[in-house]
Amino acid sequence: MLTYVLRTLLRMAITLFVIVTLVFFATRLSGNPVDFVLGDGITQEDRQLLIAYYGLDSSIGTQYWRYLVSVFSGEFGLSFLERRPVADIVMERAWPSLKLLLSAVSFTLLVSVPLGILAAIYRTSVIGSVVMVIAFLGYAVPAFIIGILLVLIFAYTLNWLPVVGDGSALHFIMPTLAISGTLVAAITRFTRNAMLDVLSQDYMRTARAKGLPEWLVILKHGLRNASITLLSVIGLQIAGLAAAGSVVVESIFAWPGIGDLLVRSAILRDYPVLQFGVLSVAVAVIVINAVIDISYAYADPRIRLAKG
């Protein structure tokens, strides 16, 4: 087990290094941020001084080396726009993103797991078919389309829900639904498949033969044995949500989280904020994946042996 954990940690380090490298060079493709931030109302001499101040006058190789040194030393620099440490800026946005993530995950679990169980129990009936059609539709429609439709219907047409910010519980409804659309669809399908695998097992027939109520057989013996697979899938879906879904949805609803900050920093070419924000999200995703991987392997040694 120790060898497996060490290999997982090594994969984490390699993945993180690749992400750090890709983010650095991708941000440099958009040009010099000084020209974008300051515009035309600056002398050439002041422009050169500012470029030198931010270290942008060095070669790309030198900038990359300085960036690696700063990352591994915990010094992430100042925002080009706000002139504040980028760690402070990103951390200020972390809590709103976390609240939205918890809201979306809670709603997803409350809806998708029961739907998946129903789809497995009534797989040959109309109920199972309707649930799976809804799941496929949710999986096919991107989060930003769901978000835009929600805004058009519930904000502009019906004027029921607020669009911008996170000031009240009502502000959570549309972003939560937008993020949860794909998640509900995916976890419903995985729950159905996992339950179908266990419903035909001998221990399920034995539990029914003992005279236990059907709901108890399903929840205690069925869902519990399917939970190992479900937990791994749920964890991976949460990781994907942190990496992509929330970025788009936060931008649509002007949610004051990391996703909205990343989009704004990319548009305004605020390299330090963008680099640290992407790095923070990447670390969260990598850690979640590693924890799930190790936990799954610990629970099922066959996974550990298969992955070497």
Side-chain angles (χ1 to χ4, degrees):
M1 187 65 190
L2 179 60
T3 302
Y4 183 79
V5 172
L6 292 176
R7 288 179 178 175
T8 302
L9 294 177
L10 179 61
R11 288 196 295 267
M12 287 176 56
I14 294 173
T15 303
L16 188 58
F17 176 77
V18 172
I19 291 174
V20 167
T21 302
L22 290 177
V23 169
F24 175 84
F25 286 103
T27 54
R28 266 61 183 178
L29 294 177
S30 61
N32 195 323
V34 172
D35 296 332
F36 185 82
V37 173
L38 299 179
D40 298 328
I42 185 175
T43 65
Q44 186 65 22
E45 181 180 356
D46 290 339
R47 177 180 177 276
Q48 292 300 326
L49 288 174
L50 196 57
I51 290 175
Y53 175 77
Y54 286 119
L56 300 174
D57 57 338
S58 305
S59 66
I60 194 70
T62 302
Q63 292 183 47
Y64 176 61
W65 174 251
R66 290 174 180 169
Y67 175 58
L68 288 180
V69 172
S70 65
V71 167
F72 289 105
S73 63
E75 296 292 336
F76 300 99
L78 301 177
S79 167
F80 289 167
L81 300 176
E82 299 186 32
R83 306 294 194 273
R84 293 195 296 140
V86 297
D88 294 344
I89 297 173
V90 173
M91 289 303 105
E92 288 172 1
R93 300 293 194 105
W95 177 235
S97 289
L98 182 59
K99 289 191 296 183
L100 182 58
L101 176 63
L102 292 175
S103 174
V105 171
S106 300
F107 176 80
T108 297
L109 295 180
L110 289 174
V111 174
S112 60
V113 174
L115 285 179
I117 294 174
L118 285 176
I121 296 174
Y122 301 103
R123 58 187 178 277
T124 59
S125 68
V126 175
I127 295 176
S129 299
V130 170
V131 170
M132 293 312 298
V133 168
I134 295 174
F136 280 114
L137 287 176
Y139 203 75
V141 181
F144 74 91
I145 296 294
I146 297 176
I148 292 173
L149 291 176
L150 290 172
V151 170
L152 290 176
I153 296 172
F154 294 104
Y156 288 104
T157 302
L158 300 176
N159 198 27
W160 286 356
L161 297 173
V163 179
V164 177
D166 62 340
S168 67
L170 292 177
H171 287 85
F172 281 80
I173 295 177
M174 288 195 292
T176 296
L177 292 176
I179 293 176
S180 301
T182 303
L183 280 176
V184 168
I187 296 178
T188 297
R189 292 173 58 195
F190 281 114
T191 302
R192 175 184 180 273
N193 294 337
M195 289 298 297
L196 287 176
D197 289 338
V198 302
L199 286 177
S200 59
Q201 299 298 319
D202 292 338
Y203 54 79
M204 297 292 287
R205 288 190 288 269
T206 301
R208 292 190 179 96
K210 291 180 179 179
L212 295 176
E214 185 64 19
W215 67 268
L216 185 60
V217 174
I218 295 297
L219 295 180
K220 183 177 180 180
H221 297 278
L223 185 59
R224 185 175 65 178
N225 285 281
S227 61
I228 295 177
T229 302
L230 286 178
L231 288 176
S232 65
V233 171
I234 291 170
L236 293 174
Q237 291 296 323
I238 292 173
L241 168 65
S246 61
V247 174
V248 177
V249 172
E250 285 183 11
S251 300
I252 293 174
F253 295 98
W255 191 267
I258 294 179
D260 180 67
L261 177 65
L262 291 178
V263 173
R264 184 179 70 89
S265 300
I267 294 173
L268 299 177
R269 301 180 188 174
D270 196 346
Y271 291 169
V273 175
L274 180 60
Q275 290 169 171
F276 182 71
V278 173
L279 182 61
S280 301
V281 174
V283 169
V285 172
I286 292 171
V287 169
I288 291 174
N289 283 330
V291 170
I292 294 170
D293 204 14
I294 293 172
S295 302
Y296 198 25
Y298 182 79
D300 190 350
R302 294 173 299 176
I303 304 296
R304 183 168 67 250
L305 294 174
K307 293 187 177 183

